[in-house]
Amino acid sequence: DGGTYQPPSIDSWVFDGGPAAEDEAFALNSKVSGTITLNDLSAAHLISVTLSDLPDDTIVEKKLGNGDFVDISKTVISEDGVDRSVWTVSVKVPAGGNGQAALEDLLDAITITTPKDMNDNFAAFTVNGDPINDFLLNAELRVTVIGGPSVAADLSQVLPITPVTDAATVTIDTEAVDERSPAVRATVSVAKGDAGPSVIVDGKLYVQVNASA
């Protein structure tokens, strides 16, 4: 039902990036790239990127022209009785416009921050409350002639998340003693970092004590 408009084409839509870093935002164009052709330059087009079923607490934002970021609202849709979460960002290309440049700008503007403290060593992801093992990046590219036909391409890729070492919390408690006491009892507690279990290497903890003059 596209009338007399020539449909656009999606020449490539691929995951070609490396892992993400824990707790750091990344632009979508660092992980995904695409090439398109607008075959009917007499018509305006709409280019849309839809992310779906990202883990709970994932943050999706769009970078504005002034450098600020705004949250992209999550929409929950139902398909065959199953709830799905989607985030859609679109850009309109006027008649005669450069569709490829518009797509590249759109991918650069979309940023994703993975759930806090989650990484490949400590993954407790959920999607709509259901546990999953990995961060799955699902992305659809759709190019539409406004008032005419559209084409779409999908990709789905497990996104590795490189752990970032979190500092352990060290607490030292001492007992009140008389100034003539020859010894002071101290208790040293080491709490694990946020991103997973911590261990004391070889079971040895070194404590440096500085005595005042």
Side-chain angles (χ1 to χ4, degrees):
D1 97 40
T4 59
Y5 294 111
Q6 296 183 53
S9 59
I10 297 175
D11 307 306
S12 68
W13 181 240
V14 295
F15 179 90
D16 54 7
E22 176 192 341
D23 295 340
E24 292 185 11
F26 62 88
L28 190 57
N29 69 346
S30 69
K31 312 301 177 191
V32 174
S33 65
T35 55
I36 62 174
T37 303
L38 304 186
N39 295 309
D40 195 332
L41 295 180
S42 68
H45 292 72
L46 189 70
I47 301 173
S48 300
V49 173
T50 298
L51 306 172
S52 61
D53 296 329
L54 299 178
D56 299 333
D57 299 322
T58 298
I59 299 172
V60 181
E61 298 175 299
K62 181 182 179 182
K63 181 171 62 176
L64 303 178
N66 62 3
D68 292 339
F69 289 84
V70 294
D71 288 343
I72 303 302
S73 298
K74 176 176 71 173
T75 301
V76 179
I77 62 177
S78 182
E79 293 184 354
D80 299 323
V82 177
D83 288 342
R84 300 191 61 202
S85 300
V86 298
W87 296 256
T88 299
V89 187
S90 302
V91 62
K92 182 179 179 180
V93 183
N98 189 327
Q100 182 61 37
L103 172 61
E104 292 172 3
D105 288 345
L106 183 62
L107 294 178
D108 178 61
I110 299 171
T111 65
I112 300 172
T113 306
T114 58
K116 182 173 174 56
D117 298 328
M118 294 294 102
N119 58 60
D120 286 352
N121 291 344
F122 186 66
F125 300 116
T126 60
V127 173
N128 295 323
D130 297 324
I132 58 172
N133 294 325
D134 301 294
F135 188 105
L136 193 61
L137 182 62
N138 303 300
E140 179 196 77
L141 171 63
R142 182 172 294 274
V143 186
T144 303
V145 178
I146 296 178
S150 67
V151 292
D154 294 282
L155 65 83
S156 184
Q157 174 72 38
V158 172
L159 179 66
I161 302 177
T162 303
V164 175
T165 301
D166 294 312
T169 301
V170 179
T171 304
I172 301 177
D173 295 316
T174 59
E175 298 178 351
V177 295
D178 184 88
E179 63 180 7
R180 297 180 180 179
S181 176
V184 176
R185 182 183 296 275
T187 301
V188 180
S189 302
V190 181
K192 71 179 182 67
D194 291 330
S198 301
V199 296
I200 297 177
V201 178
D202 296 330
K204 298 178 180 178
L205 177 65
Y206 295 90
V207 178
Q208 180 177 330
V209 178
N210 293 322
S212 58

